[in-house]
Amino acid sequence: MGRTGRRPGGSDSRQAILAAARAMFSAVGYDKASVRAIARAAGVDPALVHHFFGSKEALFVAAMSLAIDQDEVAETLAAGDPDSAGERLASFFVRIWEDPASRPPLLGLLRSAVSNERAADALREFLSTTALLPVAGATAADSRASDEARLRATLVASQFVGFALMRYILRVEPLASAEPETAVAWLAPTIQRYLAGPTPETGGPADG
Amino acid sequence: MGRTGRRPGGSDSRQAILAAARAMFSAVGYDKASVRAIARAAGVDPALVHHFFGSKEALFVAAMSLAIDQDEVAETLAAGDPDSAGERLASFFVRIWEDPASRPPLLGLLRSAVSNERAADALREFLSTTALLPVAGATAADSRASDEARLRATLVASQFVGFALMRYILRVEPLASAEPETAVAWLAPTIQRYLAGPTPETGGPADG
């Protein structure tokens, strides 16, 4: 077990592990990625991965949370007229999926979570504790947004996730080839209504 | 290779194969299901499966197309005021996902398509040639709906698929525990706008 060339513990190693984990999870998915292989790619001892992150699941959360910059989501929502927050968020979301650098980890995240229960746990935690907070009008320090705000945030996520699935994974036409601006224009009112539209009245039980 | 107890070729065998395929794909996903095991479960010779369906992929399409009754989608859309078609379709969609009988094949369909390229091809074909046609205002005989109608149909599908993913696969709260009627009430205006709302104006390139 030679250690030649391995990095010492510290911030650089942590970043190297995260980068390797992100690449590995993106390329082969949660099931086939191993902590050992990630450590090897990062040039560190597997024990250091466990030291920093604890478990493969926690490493997945940490690596994949890089795929969506939570602060950028919060800034996008805050930077302008609340009436066009839906358009800004849709535009941000389509842009990160169109970006060849950020699409692979997002694809890896989605694919892994659908096929593996541990990865689904990880994505659920990521969505609940980080990604959805700014959308729900909360911050990490104030994580108890109202139930309705959280429901609105999950509805926003549902439209974005479904759009990504249809366009980038299943590639169903004509959505797969639509111009990004066309996609944003269609999605924006949906996101706006989920963010800030009136609470719909719940009718009687669904008919039939 | 004993053939005792195997059914003769014909309509019953075809139905038995479809039922077995549906159960198998739902339980273990596309990758792990084999034509041989499906034939065994249906009590027929594997050659008969190939005779009826050609390939595993085609069998997947045929078995999974049972998960959504295309005629029922068309009837749901047509049966009432066009202004409430979105609500009827959302109600129909949530109902089939809430039904313990129809949820497993839908889950199997979605999980398989996300993790396997062949299953994704199959789902794409199913969506394009059958499931989306009534939504796009077309029938099987008239499969060339306009591009915009088809785009609208894929947007409808994107919201439904994302909702199913968040609620039934990832189970992100509070969407996972929301009452079905609450979910329908939130989804209905989105679906209505995709079905029949005005075509949005495409602004300049997405900013940033």
Side-chain angles (χ1 to χ4, degrees):
Chain A
M1 298 279 281
R3 298 192 176 217
T4 321
R6 286 194 173 160
R7 299 158 196 251
S11 169
D12 281 1
S13 297
R14 194 173 188 283
Q15 289 310 311
I17 293 165
L18 282 173
R22 191 179 176 184
M24 190 79 69
F25 286 127
S26 301
V28 303
Y30 185 85
D31 280 335
K32 290 178 188 153
S34 75
V35 168
R36 184 174 296 269
I38 289 167
R40 197 181 310 126
V44 304
D45 194 277
L48 196 62
V49 178
H50 287 290
H51 167 72
F52 279 130
F53 299 99
S55 66
K56 179 176 166 184
E57 193 177 330
L59 176 60
F60 182 80
V61 173
M64 292 319 196
S65 69
L66 298 175
I68 296 180
D69 183 334
Q70 193 191 350
D71 292 341
E72 214 178 330
V73 173
E75 282 159 24
T76 300
L77 285 166
D81 187 345
D83 290 348
S84 58
E87 188 181 351
R88 291 196 301 279
L89 198 59
S91 171
F92 168 78
F93 180 84
V94 170
R95 193 164 65 242
I96 59 174
W97 273 93
E98 291 293 316
D99 183 340
S102 47
R103 191 189 299 179
L106 291 166
L107 277 174
L109 187 63
L110 200 49
R111 285 210 162 101
S112 298
V114 170
S115 54
N116 181 284
E117 195 53 42
R118 295 267 72 73
D121 290 344
L123 178 57
R124 190 182 314 116
E125 185 183 320
F126 166 61
L127 286 172
S128 304
T129 62
T130 61
L132 296 180
L133 291 181
V135 178
T139 66
D142 156 38
S143 63
R144 300 201 299 189
S146 75
D147 264 7
E148 180 169 313
R150 286 192 163 270
L151 180 62
R152 287 172 179 272
T154 52
L155 286 160
V156 167
S158 80
Q159 176 59 89
F160 283 150
V161 160
F163 170 77
L165 200 69
M166 290 288 286
R167 180 173 167 97
Y168 304 106
I169 293 184
L170 300 179
R171 298 188 301 281
V172 180
E173 294 293 358
L175 192 60
S177 306
E179 292 296 325
E181 302 83 56
T182 304
V184 170
W186 278 100
L187 296 177
T190 298
I191 305 305
Q192 182 65 32
R193 187 172 62 82
Y194 291 154
L195 286 174
T199 305
E201 277 178 45
T202 303
D207 74 300
Chain B
M1 299 280 280
R3 296 190 178 218
T4 322
R6 285 193 172 160
R7 297 159 197 249
S11 171
D12 282 0
S13 297
R14 195 173 188 281
Q15 290 309 312
I17 293 165
L18 282 174
R22 190 179 176 184
M24 190 80 69
F25 286 128
S26 302
V28 303
Y30 185 85
D31 281 335
K32 290 177 189 154
S34 75
V35 168
R36 185 175 296 268
I38 289 166
R40 198 179 310 124
V44 304
D45 193 278
L48 196 62
V49 178
H50 286 289
H51 167 71
F52 279 130
F53 299 100
S55 65
K56 179 176 166 185
E57 193 178 331
L59 176 59
F60 181 81
V61 172
M64 293 317 197
S65 69
L66 299 174
I68 296 180
D69 183 334
Q70 193 192 352
D71 292 341
E72 212 176 334
V73 173
E75 281 159 23
T76 299
L77 285 166
D81 187 343
D83 290 348
S84 58
E87 188 181 351
R88 290 196 301 279
L89 198 59
S91 172
F92 168 77
F93 179 84
V94 170
R95 193 164 67 242
I96 59 174
W97 273 94
E98 291 293 316
D99 183 341
S102 47
R103 192 189 299 181
L106 292 166
L107 277 174
L109 188 63
L110 200 49
R111 284 209 163 102
S112 298
V114 170
S115 53
N116 180 285
E117 195 55 39
R118 293 268 72 75
D121 290 345
L123 179 57
R124 190 182 313 118
E125 185 182 319
F126 166 61
L127 286 172
S128 305
T129 61
T130 61
L132 296 180
L133 291 180
V135 178
T139 65
D142 156 38
S143 63
R144 300 201 299 189
S146 75
D147 264 7
E148 181 170 313
R150 288 193 161 269
L151 180 61
R152 287 171 178 272
T154 53
L155 286 160
V156 167
S158 79
Q159 176 59 89
F160 283 149
V161 160
F163 170 78
L165 200 69
M166 291 288 286
R167 181 173 167 97
Y168 303 105
I169 294 184
L170 300 179
R171 296 188 303 281
V172 180
E173 293 294 358
L175 192 61
S177 306
E179 291 296 327
E181 302 83 53
T182 304
V184 170
W186 277 101
L187 296 177
T190 298
I191 304 305
Q192 182 66 32
R193 189 172 62 82
Y194 291 155
L195 286 174
T199 306
E201 278 179 45
T202 304
D207 74 299

